[in-house]
Amino acid sequence: MRTLALLILLVLPACFMAHGTVNEPLDREVFASLTPGTSTAGDVVAALGAPAEVVQLGRRSAWRYEHSSTKETGLFLLVVFLHGTDTRSDRTWLFFDENEIMTHLGVTLGAGRSEYSLPGLE
Amino acid sequence: MKGLFRKTGLVLLCAWLLQLSSCLAVAIERDRFERRPDLPEIDILLAGNATGDDGQRDATGPALPFMDLHQALARLGAPLHVAPLQREAIALVYGWRADTHLRASLSLPLAETVSASMDFSRRRAKLDGLVLVFDSSGQLRGSRACRLLDIRARLSGERPVYDDAWWAPRISRP
């Protein structure tokens, strides 16, 4: 029992979990209201706000919106350090033609599925 | 008396282990970033695909999961990067990573102001990537596997032409 208590005391102060995010999560319902061929750049700004990145593609352009989630876990076992990091993102790219009409939309919603995990301890 | 020695030995052992950790450390680190696209035909794309100047593929080749930008975005979701190429073509860059590093470090204090240290680390993989190239009409013109470090250098300078030799299939990674 004392040995177990000693082990717990040795191990407990040496573990940590951290969760970091960048930007607000993207709302799936917002994308349902955006229609390629119909929605304009103005509609997109009204729904999603300012994009994180704009790429000029000749006369066309592509806008990126992104939210990322990073979960980190660490465990110090005296001379051994186990550390796991998992980053996943909600990301969308919207493509516009020269008239600022949205032509294509690509959405990935994965930020909610980032995991706490340590190597070898799944 | 014997119990006292045993306790003292345990305390000394713990102290020694704690002190040891200050100069010797073994780290096992796993770094995951996004996920490899969950697409049955992903290997066909990673193996590289180049279409001819007329946009037609060899009918005997394996079937591609999509042929245009709209279908690609629907199947693969949003890429990490979008880059312009010449002639109004665009490149979509997807990337993911699943690394496990083993690192051991030993540091020995040799004198008050001098120390020697050794650090060994091995990285099993770097960020893997898939590049898809679409022409101005949104038709898929090529794909290839890459390391994102390589593609970043290529896309950051003068815009490449999408049908130059670089897009021809050269890498085949299962």
Side-chain angles (χ1 to χ4, degrees):
Chain A
M1 193 63 187
R2 283 181 184 172
T3 308
L4 182 63
L6 183 63
L7 279 173
I8 290 172
L9 280 174
L10 279 172
V11 169
L12 264 187
C15 62
F16 69 88
M17 297 171 81
H19 183 202
T21 60
V22 177
N23 295 334
E24 293 295 313
L26 302 182
D27 187 352
R28 187 185 297 270
E29 292 179 8
V30 169
F31 299 110
S33 68
L34 299 173
T35 310
T38 306
S39 299
T40 65
D43 297 333
V44 172
V45 169
L48 293 167
E53 182 183 7
V54 174
V55 175
Q56 198 65 38
L57 304 168
R59 290 167 295 165
R60 300 170 296 162
S61 62
W63 297 8
R64 176 174 62 87
Y65 291 85
E66 185 155 355
H67 155 72
S68 67
S69 165
T70 300
K71 290 181 177 174
E72 193 175 356
T73 317
L75 176 63
F76 293 92
L77 297 169
L78 298 176
V79 296
V80 177
F81 174 48
L82 302 176
H83 183 228
T85 305
D86 187 18
T87 301
R88 298 193 71 176
S89 303
D90 293 344
R91 185 184 310 106
T92 183
W93 279 96
L94 303 107
F95 296 80
F96 297 92
D97 64 15
E98 59 270 35
N99 300 314
E100 297 193 339
I101 302 294
M102 189 180 78
T103 57
H104 298 84
L105 169 69
V107 182
T108 295
L109 298 174
R113 296 196 295 274
S114 61
E115 299 170 347
Y116 292 107
S117 64
L118 287 171
L121 296 181
E122 290 83 12
Chain B
M1 196 64 178
K2 192 179 281 183
L4 181 63
F5 278 126
R6 189 173 292 170
K7 283 181 183 173
T8 306
L10 186 63
V11 169
L12 287 174
L13 178 65
C14 288
W16 179 75
L17 285 172
L18 286 170
Q19 193 161 358
L20 185 65
S21 65
S22 64
C23 59
L24 173 66
V26 176
I28 302 173
E29 298 174 334
R30 183 170 63 188
D31 185 11
R32 290 193 292 178
F33 178 82
E34 302 296 350
R35 297 292 186 273
R36 178 182 157 111
D38 184 18
L39 194 68
E41 307 94 335
I42 189 73
D43 288 335
I44 299 171
L45 296 168
L46 288 172
N49 157 67
T51 56
D53 289 340
D54 57 355
Q56 300 300 310
R57 296 188 70 249
D58 180 1
T60 60
L64 288 170
F66 43 75
M67 283 304 292
D68 63 34
L69 178 60
H70 180 77
Q71 293 169 352
L73 292 169
R75 296 291 303 274
L76 294 174
L80 283 184
H81 304 288
V82 173
L85 304 177
Q86 286 188 16
R87 294 187 228 156
E88 299 269 324
I90 62 170
L92 304 189
V93 183
Y94 293 84
W96 58 92
R97 177 175 56 217
D99 282 0
T100 300
H101 325 234
L102 173 65
R103 190 173 65 200
S105 62
L106 174 65
S107 181
L108 293 175
L110 299 177
E112 203 167 318
T113 58
V114 180
S115 69
S117 64
M118 180 179 69
D119 194 329
F120 171 76
S121 64
R122 197 177 80 178
R123 299 194 169 208
R124 285 204 298 222
K126 292 183 178 169
L127 197 63
D128 293 313
L130 167 67
V131 183
L132 301 174
V133 177
F134 298 87
D135 63 18
S136 58
S137 65
Q139 293 300 302
L140 179 66
R141 297 303 299 266
S143 73
R144 63 175 291 159
C146 70
R147 300 289 186 211
L148 255 66
L149 283 177
D150 300 336
I151 193 68
R152 184 185 300 167
R154 172 158 281 266
L155 295 176
S156 63
E158 186 180 347
R159 294 177 188 177
V161 181
Y162 66 83
D163 52 0
D164 69 10
W166 193 80
W167 301 106
R170 285 186 300 178
I171 297 175
S172 178
R173 200 165 48 222

